[in-house]
Amino acid sequence: GVASVVAGHPLDTVKTRLQAGQGYGNTLKCVITVYRNESLAGFFKGMSFPLASIGIYSSVVFGVFSNTQRFLSQLRHGDPAGSPSLTDMTLASIVAGVISVGIGTPVELVKIRLQMQTQPYNKANVKLNSTVPGSPVYRGPIHCLRTILQKEGIAGIYRGNVAMLLRDVPGYCAYFIPYAMFCDWITPDGSISPNPFSIWVAGGIAGAVSWAVCTPMDVVKSRLQADGVYLNQYKGILDCVLQSYQNEGLKVFCRGLMVNTLRGFPSSAAMFLGYELSLKAMKRCQTETSP
């Protein structure tokens, strides 16, 4: 999880600015603008909170997916270690997507609120209650979380949760299923398990496919969660969809598509490789220490 955050966060910042910000134009212009105005540090805004929580989030997502698969295999075939069917993988992906929203929504909200602050916080000359775009509102992730709780309550922490649910359920189906398929396809016949290169490639492709599928709803989620840093523009998910379409047309729902797809490859490749290698290391350690 940590590997995926470090590998993907700079492009995630660019994606969020393109989807929820104004005046950034295309991807290259956005990268140049962020670098000129905020230097290299601007690409890593909002990274500390996902970095601190990604271990729990990844453990829950991968754990729920794997255990649901085992449960379904036991239920259908009487063998939890049996090869899962496409239906089993789909159901396990849906369950993982639903469960992930409970943990992921607050993390995404804080990350996006911090990413959308275009100036560093300076206590000496900035008022925290300023509503002028460009003026910072939050000192860091904890202050951001506390401020949202004070102003909007628990409901504010879960702003954009329906959009995230509509993004993550199909997104995880397009994440785990292509990964399993590409791993089987790339792995040479006769091999017990895929090699690290196969895992890296399959994970990267799965990430690119998944983000391409869920980009339209990711745009809506980003806008809903960024809304409230300075002004409250949207009443809900439907209002956000309608306003975005009326103002910018259908193309708005493809904003950040290229960045999402590019970011999805290294981020997911690192995630799956870290996951598989960690599992192998822990299994080997258990075998060596067993009497």
Side-chain angles (χ1 to χ4, degrees), residues 117-132:
Q117 291 195 121
T118 55
Q119 301 294 326
Y121 174 75
N122 186 336
K123 193 173 181 179
N125 57 23
V126 173
K127 294 180 180 179
L128 286 178
N129 60 359
S130 172
T131 57
V132 179

Side-chain angles (χ1 to χ4, degrees), residues 58-76 79-82 84 88-89 91-93 95-96 99 176 275 279:
S58 298
S59 296
V60 169
V61 170
F62 278 81
V64 167
F65 175 77
S66 299
N67 284 294
T68 303
Q69 270 195 339
R70 280 195 283 271
F71 172 76
L72 291 171
S73 292
Q74 175 70 44
L75 201 65
R76 292 173 185 271
D79 180 15
D88 292 347
M89 284 193 286
L91 286 172
S93 299
V95 173
I99 297 297
F176 287 114
Y275 170 71
L279 273 183

